[in-house]
Amino acid sequence: MIEEFSVLCHSAVRIVADNKIIYIDPFGIEKIKNDADYICITHSHYDHFSPEDILKLKNDNTIILITEDIYVNVLKLGFKENKIVIVDPNKKYKINDLCVETVSAYNINKAFHPKENEWVGYIFNLDYERIYVAGDTDITPEALNVKCDLAFLPIGGTYTMDYAEAAKLANSIMPTIVVPTHYGKIVGTVQDAKNFKSLLDSKINCKIF
């Protein structure tokens, strides 16, 4: 079983499973913990790649997964080259004992996240479960093909799917649990999260943080 999962702020996700602590897009981190085994960045926007928040979590053994466009900036944060993994969309990686897949994350009808930027979401295979953290995306063919047990989906609209679109995606891929992200800080409201939950198939358990 996954020991713990949560949304810390905006799209910042923390997962504890299989003796690993994993952060995705840390942002708005309140306390210095330096406890990350892995930090995974979906793309270069400031609310997903936040150097000050990464420094609150990294330690000498932390491995960071990134898109190529932030490589130089990550080196400046003190990561050694052997602790940096550059990922491409729609690939599978095995990093030590972590098995992870990437999924293209991009906009269909807006220009904030172009497909050609090759930004990503992640699927983690942990404790016999598949955990999908979508990143900033719309409903894409790649997202519709995801198979997962737990999904973190953006619902805030403007830059990503809105809550109705996110619910449509969730009802298509049918995770056991879905968690809304990307609301309450920059765009989107708590009411959007409640609206999202109300549109879900009754078989899907929704967890709102």
Side-chain angles (χ1 to χ4, degrees):
M1 294 292 293
I2 299 168
E3 295 174 42
E4 179 187 340
F5 60 88
S6 59
V7 178
L8 305 176
C9 175
H10 190 53
S11 291
V13 173
R14 184 178 189 264
I15 300 168
V16 182
D18 201 17
N19 298 312
K20 303 175 187 66
I21 299 176
I22 303 168
Y23 291 90
I24 302 93
D25 291 349
F27 180 70
I29 302 300
E30 294 180 355
K31 296 180 180 179
I32 296 174
K33 293 189 173 183
N34 303 123
D35 63 347
D37 294 305
Y38 296 91
I39 296 173
C40 303
I41 305 299
T42 62
H43 65 291
S44 59
H45 288 164
Y46 77 94
D47 53 330
H48 297 263
F49 173 58
S50 172
E52 66 176 300
D53 291 299
I54 289 171
L55 290 174
K56 292 177 182 178
L57 302 175
K58 78 176 286 286
N59 56 62
D60 290 342
N61 296 314
T62 302
I63 294 174
I64 189 166
L65 283 65
I66 60 168
T67 51
E68 187 172 13
D69 52 349
I70 57 174
Y71 178 71
V72 172
N73 291 326
V74 168
L75 284 174
K76 292 177 182 178
L77 294 177
F79 284 92
K80 295 180 180 179
E81 290 185 13
N82 67 347
K83 299 295 185 183
I84 303 173
V85 178
I86 297 174
V87 299
D88 295 313
N90 309 310
K91 302 288 186 181
K92 294 183 179 181
Y93 298 87
K94 190 174 190 302
I95 303 128
N96 296 332
D97 59 346
L98 178 69
C99 294
V100 60
E101 303 167 28
T102 55
V103 181
S104 288
Y106 57 93
N107 290 138
I108 297 292
N109 55 6
K110 44 188 100 66
F112 302 106
H113 305 88
K115 186 175 183 179
E116 56 266 27
N117 283 11
E118 298 192 324
W119 291 337
V120 300
Y122 292 95
I123 300 174
F124 303 94
N125 292 280
L126 295 166
D127 288 341
Y128 306 103
E129 295 189 348
R130 290 170 59 82
I131 305 167
Y132 176 40
V133 183
D136 279 11
T137 191
D138 289 327
I139 299 178
T140 66
E142 294 88 346
L144 286 166
N145 282 328
V146 166
K147 293 178 174 60
C148 63
D149 303 291
L150 167 61
F152 294 82
L153 302 180
I155 67 161
T158 304
Y159 307 107
T160 69
M161 298 178 282
D162 61 23
Y163 69 82
E165 292 167 324
K168 182 178 179 181
L169 175 59
N171 290 337
S172 177
I173 65 175
M174 288 296 291
T176 302
I177 303 171
V178 66
V179 181
T181 66
H182 211 278
Y183 70 94
K185 184 72 175 180
I186 296 170
V187 292
T189 65
V190 173
Q191 186 61 49
D192 288 328
K194 294 177 180 178
N195 292 343
F196 168 73
K197 183 176 182 177
S198 73
L199 295 175
L200 293 173
D201 187 289
S202 61
K203 297 184 183 69
I204 301 174
N205 180 23
C206 181
K207 176 76 171 177
I208 297 175
F209 288 93

